Amino acid sequence: MVNWTQMHDCYGDVDRVPALLEQVELEDNAEIWKELGYRLILEHDLVFPASFAALPRLMSLASRSARARGPAGAILRRAAGQHGCDDLLANCRDEISEFRRLLDRHLQSRPVDYLDSLAAMGEYHWSAVMGDFTDDFYHLACPHCAVEVTIAIGDHGRYSAIRDWNLGDVNRRGLRPALSEALSGAGRWMYETAVRDRQDALADGIAHLFGKAECPQCASVFNIADEYTSANRPDVWQARTGRKQVRRAHS
C-alpha cells in the first residue's frame, strides 16, 4: 500500500495526485489527465515520488486509456535518473511486465511507443536518449585517444565527426552498420521489432546506432552503443534492474 502522505508531486502536494487518479479511474477526462501529467512529470524531465507511486494505477488503466499510456511511459523513461524512488519502482515489476506486453500490441500502429517499450523492458537509458533517427546526435569520447566524437544518425547523414563551433561537423567518417545477425540484447529486440512492423527507417537507424564508428582523429574503430552506454548509463543501473553492466576493455 502506498503511503500518499509521503508521496509529493512536482508542486509539493501529497493529496492531489491520488484524488486525480480516482477521478480518471471513473472518467477518462482530458482536463483531469492534463493536470495529472503536469503533477507527475515536470517539463517532460523531472519525476517525483508521486510519479512512481502512481505507476501501478496508470499501467492498470493503460489497456483502456491511451492517456494513461503516455504518462506511464514518460515516467519509466526517466527511471534511470537520480530520483531516490528505487523501492517504489521495484514494487511494480509485475505491472511493468504487463505494460510491456500491452505496448508491444500497439507498436504496429504507433511506432512512437518503441521508447516506452524500451523503458518497460528496463532499458531506461536507451528509451531516454534514442529518437526517431531523423535528426539524432550522440556525443562520446573515443576509447583510444579520448577526443570527443559526434555520432550523427539522421536525414543529414550517418557519420562520425569532430564538432567545430564555427565549421560544424568536420572530418566526417561514414558509420558501419551492424549486421542483423550480429545484434544482441536490446539492439536485437529493437531491430527485429522494427523490421516486423515495417519501420524501415527505424530499423536502419538502430543498425547504425549498434554498429561501429571510426574516430576522425586517430582512426580507431569502436562500437557506438557500447561506448555511449558505458559513458552515460548510471552506476545504479545494476542495482535497479538486477542486470550486470559489462564494460569492455580496450587495447
Side-chain angles (χ1 to χ4, degrees):
M1 295 295 292
V2 175
N3 182 357
W4 282 104
T5 63
Q6 299 177 8
M7 302 294 121
H8 67 273
D9 60 25
C10 76
Y11 296 108
D13 297 331
V14 297
D15 54 355
R16 187 58 179 156
V17 166
L20 291 170
L21 286 170
E22 290 179 6
Q23 292 180 61
V24 294
E25 285 170 344
L26 295 173
E27 178 186 8
D28 196 33
N29 183 285
E31 289 302 313
I32 299 173
W33 276 113
K34 185 177 180 179
E35 180 184 351
L36 185 59
Y38 284 143
R39 288 180 174 274
L40 296 179
I41 307 136
L42 180 60
E43 297 180 351
H44 304 285
D45 188 27
L46 299 177
V47 286
F48 307 86
S51 310
F52 293 97
L55 260 181
R57 292 170 73 172
L58 290 173
M59 290 185 289
S60 71
L61 290 169
S63 62
R64 57 185 173 89
S65 173
R67 293 190 178 103
R69 292 195 293 272
I75 292 165
L76 280 176
R77 289 198 299 274
R78 285 141 187 87
Q82 301 295 331
H83 46 69
C85 299
D86 296 339
D87 54 336
L88 294 172
L89 185 62
N91 286 337
C92 52
R93 288 175 179 169
D94 292 342
E95 290 87 349
I96 291 174
S97 295
E98 180 57 36
F99 186 55
R100 180 172 67 247
R101 288 189 287 270
L102 171 68
L103 289 174
D104 190 60
R105 295 195 293 270
H106 285 272
L107 287 181
Q108 292 189 28
S109 60
R110 288 189 55 81
V112 70
D113 284 348
Y114 279 94
L115 302 184
D116 293 344
S117 294
L118 279 170
M121 289 177 65
E123 297 290 346
Y124 308 122
H125 170 70
W126 287 120
S127 71
V129 301
M130 197 180 81
D132 59 3
F133 299 116
T134 59
D135 192 32
D136 285 18
F137 293 92
Y138 303 85
H139 305 283
L140 50 84
C142 171
H144 296 272
C145 71
V147 70
E148 183 174 285
V149 179
T150 294
I151 304 295
I153 306 175
D155 296 339
H156 41 268
R158 288 153 167 73
Y159 59 82
S160 59
I162 302 297
R163 177 152 292 182
D164 183 275
W165 181 262
N166 297 310
L167 301 177
D169 293 343
V170 298
N171 297 330
R172 298 186 182 188
R173 303 286 190 273
L175 301 182
R176 308 176 188 182
L179 298 176
S180 59
E181 58 268 25
L183 291 168
S184 61
R188 185 178 185 87
W189 176 85
M190 284 191 283
Y191 181 83
E192 290 182 345
T193 305
V195 170
R196 181 198 70 183
D197 298 342
R198 297 183 177 88
Q199 299 294 325
D200 296 338
L202 190 62
D204 182 73
I206 292 166
H208 281 82
L209 178 61
F210 285 81
K212 294 182 178 181
E214 179 182 340
C215 174
Q217 178 162 292
C218 72
S220 64
V221 177
F222 56 86
N223 183 284
I224 301 166
D226 285 353
E227 295 306 322
Y228 192 83
T229 298
S230 178
N232 291 277
R233 181 173 286 175
D235 292 336
V236 294
W237 175 261
Q238 182 176 344
R240 287 185 184 162
T241 64
R243 296 167 65 179
K244 184 177 181 181
Q245 178 178 340
V246 177
R247 293 178 180 267
R248 288 171 171 77
H250 301 277
S251 58

